[in-house]
């Protein structure tokens, strides 16, 4: 907000994001074909194992990010920037922005991260079609959901079983992964309950450790 004060500044920002997404998409295409290897080729190691690299019949690219999910989440941002540019018919480096936005949408789907695919394909039409006031309202609702969700879970007012059941109908492996995340989340929230007012401070004291191994 300090740096981007008018429409020209925002257009520059969205142009830069769109270009970044296009550049990264070509690296992603290579990893979809050859498996996630850029980190290994450049730095000599892979930050995460290959257990999460194969999804829905193909490789999930991660390029230089921690994992395939991080790559997918990043790619949604250039997608939405590209859709915004297409809406106002603003070119990107002299090229029409609509085909670029369509390309980025296809890349988000090709990353094979199910939740990100759903969010990306739902939010792109919102940016493309709705009035700015409605886009702002939806953004506020999403922010409120993110902020209140931990409190709702602490109060046991929301259940994650229906979400896992929906995921099982799509992919049982994704359902197991999602269920595991919810279980870990529950353990961290139980730890948070122990010091609800002031929290645990830094140095990973809010984490849950195995009493025998210390891991």
């Amino acid at each position: 907000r300090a740096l981007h004060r008018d429409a020209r500044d925002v257009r520059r920002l969205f142009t830069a994001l769109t270009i970044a997404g296009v550049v990264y998409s070509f690296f992603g295409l290579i990893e979809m074909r050859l498996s996630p290897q850029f980190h290994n080729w450049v730095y000599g190691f892979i930050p995460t194992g290959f257990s999460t690299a194969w999804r829905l019949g193909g490789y999930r690219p991660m390029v230089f990010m921690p994992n395939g999910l991080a790559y997918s989440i990043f790619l949604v941002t250039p997608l939405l920037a590209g859709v915004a540019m297409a809406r106002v018919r603003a070119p990107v480096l002299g090229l029409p922005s609509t085909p670029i936005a369509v390309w980025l949408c296809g890349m988000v789907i090709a990353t094979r991260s199910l939740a990100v695919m759903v969010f990306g394909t739902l939010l792109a039409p919102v940016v493309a079609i709705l009035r700015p006031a409605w886009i702002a309202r939806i953004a506020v609702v999403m922010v409120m959901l993110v902020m209140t969700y931990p409190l709702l879970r602490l109060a046991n007012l929301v259940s994650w079983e229906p979400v896992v059941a929906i995921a099982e109908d799509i992919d049982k492996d994704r359902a197991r992964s999602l269920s595991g995340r919810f279980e870990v989340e529950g353990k961290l929230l139980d730890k948070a309950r122990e010091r609800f007012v002031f929290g645990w401070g830094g140095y990973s004291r809010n984490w849950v450790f195995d009493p025998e191994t210390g891991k």
Side-chain angles (χ1 to χ4, degrees), residues 95-189:
L95 300 173
S97 48
T98 300
I100 294 174
V102 173
W103 168 262
L104 290 172
C105 185
M107 282 300 302
V108 167
I109 295 171
T111 57
R112 295 179 173 85
S113 293
L114 188 59
V116 179
M117 289 161 55
V118 172
F119 280 121
T121 53
L122 287 177
L123 290 175
V126 167
V127 175
I129 298 170
L130 295 185
R131 294 178 178 178
W134 275 104
I135 296 174
R137 290 187 185 106
I138 292 171
V140 169
V141 169
M142 293 175 69
V143 169
M144 293 302 297
L145 285 172
V146 171
M147 292 174 63
T148 57
Y149 172 75
L151 294 175
L152 294 173
R153 280 228 46 191
L154 279 168
N156 294 318
L157 295 176
V158 292
S159 174
W160 48 267
E161 282 87 354
V163 180
V164 174
I166 294 171
E168 280 183 343
D169 293 335
I170 302 171
D171 189 322
K172 292 189 181 298
D173 288 337
R174 300 287 60 72
R176 281 195 294 270
S177 173
L178 185 63
S179 177
R181 291 172 196 235
F182 280 127
E183 289 174 7
V184 170
E185 180 182 84
K187 292 178 181 178
L188 289 170
L189 287 170

